Amino acid sequence: MSKRILISGGGTGGHIFPAVAIANALKEYYQDADILFIGANGRMEMKRVPEAGFDIKGLNIYGFQRKISFKNFVENLKLPFRVFDSMQEVKKIIREFAPDIAIGVGGYASGPALKMAAKMNVPTLIHEANSFPGMTNRLLADKVDCICITYDSVKKYFPKEKTVKTGNPIRGDILNIAVTRDEALDFFGLQKEKKTIAVIGGSLGARTINESITTFVEDLSQKGIQLIWQTGEYYYNSLPENLKCLQGIKVFPFIRRMDMLYTAADVVISRAGALSLTELCTVGKPCILVPSPNVAEDHQTKNAQALEQAGAALLVPDVEAKEKLKDAVLSLVNDDEMLAKQKTNLLKLAQPNATELIVKEVVKLIK
């Protein structure tokens, strides 16, 4: 009899891509597995999950609005009713799909989905990718059967007896990069003898990073430093056309071949989301982190501090990026000793078998 697996979460690539990695691994382990995702309508998982080959159902759910405005005040008043309606929708999905297990990876849909699954006695597992746990996972901790974590620092927030350190799952093309540096540079149309910087502001882009880069991108071009710049869909169209045509500067709204990007780059400028940091550790790519201030509990700063303290990254606060990012970039990309040191320390933090360890916990719960 085939196993039926429910996976919930999304909102950003940091939730979606690990979820897809888990789904693919479970599909490989249970070759006849039937996997269904639950996401939030209007969020990127409703597009990315079907692209990865999995079915998804959407809930009309959103998160608590932290910015103060009348509109957000009204939305927050409506939120408990949205949560209740979403749980009723999940109840219907569970009755029809009859899952053997429900897995939550964070995001708006994860809370009601896992809460209802636990209530209906479906075995449940959640994954916490960050160095400080999100509110959803903290609220679910007492209800679920297993909690998989990435950082030791979050152990104190969860029941010890059901918490397992697994690491953060990543895509197979990043875990087992099969391209050479020359192939990667050819892919982007760049020169092999020059240093190359890559900018990844996250799947949705990063305003501060993009605005900071615009202030010195011409300097990079003049100094013969190449740039692979993922702006995010929203920011790409507003970027001045002359900046897209500079020598050695390659600008994209979104880059699917992250294996090519990591292989081509000498230094990566990135936000400090859990998935990005996991990938940077796995590939051992020296980095400058500009944590987003617009996330719950400022968890990206805590993520970045964990790498900085390990000598594996430089941290530039978002509020200081326009003043300090240029100097940080030029000092790091030209310091071969520091590049080598960061690479060594990043690889020490890598957890390449995370997906397998999570699958192992899933199999235990299903049995």
Side-chain angles (χ1 to χ4, degrees), residues 139-298:
L139 292 173
L140 289 170
D142 290 332
K143 300 175 177 63
V144 299
D145 298 303
C146 180
I147 303 162
C148 296
I149 63 171
T150 302
Y151 294 93
D152 288 325
S153 59
V154 302
K155 286 181 179 178
K156 60 187 176 185
Y157 297 100
F158 297 129
K160 182 179 179 180
E161 67 278 5
K162 54 183 174 182
T163 300
V164 182
K165 184 179 180 183
T166 59
N168 195 20
I170 60 173
R171 294 164 284 182
D173 61 333
I174 305 298
L175 195 59
N176 303 295
I177 290 180
V179 297
T180 66
R181 183 173 185 272
D182 285 358
E183 289 171 338
L185 290 167
D186 284 341
F187 178 83
F188 290 107
L190 294 173
Q191 297 179 39
K192 299 173 179 63
E193 69 277 5
K194 293 183 177 181
K195 289 286 181 73
T196 302
I197 296 165
V199 177
I200 48 171
S203 51
L204 302 176
R207 180 174 60 84
T208 302
I209 293 179
N210 287 331
E211 290 179 353
S212 300
I213 295 295
T214 60
T215 66
F216 63 89
V217 63
E218 292 179 84
D219 288 349
L220 293 179
S221 180
Q222 290 168 8
K223 291 177 185 296
I225 298 173
Q226 302 177 137
L227 180 69
I228 304 167
W229 187 1
Q230 178 183 274
T231 62
E233 300 280 355
Y234 177 81
Y235 299 102
Y236 181 80
N237 294 327
S238 62
L239 203 67
E241 287 300 317
N242 66 301
L243 298 185
K244 299 176 184 177
C245 304
L246 293 169
Q247 178 69 32
I249 308 300
K250 305 295 180 178
V251 187
F252 307 90
F254 184 74
I255 297 173
R256 295 188 185 280
R257 291 298 303 273
M258 293 299 288
D259 57 332
M260 291 288 189
L261 180 144
Y262 287 133
T263 305
D266 295 290
V267 172
V268 174
I269 302 168
S270 176
R271 285 302 200 191
L275 178 62
S276 296
L277 300 197
T278 300
E279 291 182 349
L280 289 167
C281 289
T282 301
V283 299
K285 192 58 60 174
C287 54
I288 299 169
L289 304 176
V290 185
S292 171
N294 306 311
V295 294
E297 290 93 20
D298 196 25

Side-chain angles (χ1 to χ4, degrees), residues 216 323-332:
F216 63 89
E323 294 176 19
K324 297 183 177 181
L325 186 58
K326 176 183 175 179
D327 289 343
V329 168
L330 294 177
S331 65
L332 182 58

